[in-house]
Amino acid sequence: MPHPDIPLPRLIAHRGLSAHAPENTLSAVRAAHAAGVTWVELDVQLLGDGTPVIWHDANIRRCSDGRGRLADLDLAAARRLDAGSWFGDAFLDERMATLGEMLALLDELEMGVNLELKVNRGRDPLALVEAALPPLMEALPPTRCLVSSFNDTALGLARALAGPETLALGVLFEAVGRDWRRHCEPVQAYSVHADWKRLKQARVREVVEAGYRLLCYTANDPAAFAPRWQWGVAAVISDDPARFAGHLPDA
Ligand code: G3P
Ligand code: MG
């Protein structure tokens, strides 16, 4: 199957360099770049006014000084939030990043992104895909984009918007069940993204032999992870990729 010829790195920073900066922020991406990481995983969803923003939770409580649902905010209200000091005083002025701001930074730093279409409960996958994909594809070349989701509907809509040669799609799984192909084939997926702790070697073999790249989230213990490289895992999504220095397979 034709896919963009992505020079996928072994290590991708989860939500930016989230071990060292507030997750999913511009600072987290700058920190990843400063650490020598070339790709980041980020979550995108919509504010109530339709603005795509880089945010993981349905709620704003954990990662800001506010309370309530992301879906109830407009951009002006989102801008007023402090999205940094929950992580540390050094990040006091951090604001929630819009997708547009984040894409401008990724372009400037020449980084790649695994953009997760985060469809939290009750949210509309169509609105998200229509708001997030065109600016992504406008900002970055296909060799520096990978769009992933747990949501099959979102992935199907993304595939309808762009063919496999112009947009790589990754199917996210918690456990990769025996029916994993049912999620990958209809969207002509490029990759399978799995929780490394629930992964079985036989399943990895099936996925790799079928021609999919296998990405594992969220691994932060390189010694515990080590055997999986031999299984054929392509890349690790980690909160702190630097921990894997000296623990990577050759080539
Ligand atoms: O894309 C890998 C990983 O980010 C999926 O889980 O909850 O961290 O978005 P989550
Ligand atoms: Mg994610």
Side-chain angles (χ1 to χ4, degrees):
M1 192 181 301
H3 286 295
D5 189 14
I6 296 176
L8 195 68
R10 286 290 193 187
L11 300 168
I12 296 173
H14 182 236
R15 309 182 193 172
L17 198 67
S18 57
H20 297 287
E23 65 180 56
N24 279 320
T25 63
L26 299 174
S27 287
V29 171
R30 287 198 184 94
H33 183 258
V37 179
T38 57
W39 275 61
V40 287
E41 187 267 358
L42 299 168
D43 304 291
V44 66
Q45 49 180 322
L46 300 185
L47 295 176
D49 66 4
T51 307
V53 291
I54 306 301
W55 201 256
H56 180 276
D57 296 355
N59 206 279
I60 58 173
R61 185 186 183 111
R62 184 175 62 87
C63 295
S64 84
D65 61 347
R67 296 284 179 273
R69 300 186 318 156
L70 190 78
D72 291 336
L73 296 178
D74 62 14
L75 184 57
R79 289 286 191 213
R80 285 194 288 274
L81 298 171
D82 169 353
S85 48
W86 68 272
F87 188 87
D89 292 346
F91 300 98
L92 175 67
D93 290 328
E94 196 76 42
R95 299 290 117 181
M96 185 185 294
T98 64
L99 175 64
E101 290 168 335
M102 188 58 86
L103 291 172
L105 179 63
L106 293 166
D107 181 37
E108 176 195 323
L109 299 177
E110 297 186 18
M111 295 180 78
V113 67
N114 165 12
L115 189 65
E116 181 185 344
L117 299 168
K118 184 63 87 183
V119 186
N120 283 316
R121 192 184 305 256
R123 304 304 305 275
D124 176 10
L126 178 60
L128 176 58
V129 168
E130 287 184 340
L133 248 62
L136 171 70
M137 296 179 67
E138 176 76 25
L140 300 178
T143 50
R144 286 201 275 126
C145 292
L146 173 53
V147 168
S148 58
S149 190
F150 286 105
N151 187 290
D152 287 347
T153 304
L155 289 172
L157 292 164
R159 179 53 78 225
L161 222 81
E165 67 287 349
T166 49
L167 183 66
L169 295 180
V171 182
L172 270 156
F173 292 88
E174 286 167 354
V176 185
R178 67 182 60 188
D179 66 342
W180 64 272
R181 286 183 179 81
R182 183 169 63 78
H183 300 274
C184 295
E185 289 171 356
V187 298
Q188 297 173 281
Y190 164 84
S191 52
V192 167
H193 303 208
D195 179 346
W196 75 278
K197 290 186 172 159
R198 300 178 68 173
L199 207 49
K200 300 281 186 289
Q201 186 171 8
R203 190 75 74 215
V204 174
R205 193 175 304 125
E206 281 177 28
V207 169
V208 172
E209 284 178 0
Y212 298 96
R213 281 73 173 174
L214 183 67
L215 283 70
C216 285
Y217 68 87
T218 304
N220 294 318
D221 180 345
F225 186 83
R228 278 82 180 168
W229 291 117
Q230 312 312 322
W231 296 1
V233 169
V236 156
I237 302 168
S238 173
D239 298 326
D240 196 5
R243 292 186 200 167
F244 283 77
H247 293 269
L248 293 178
D250 296 335

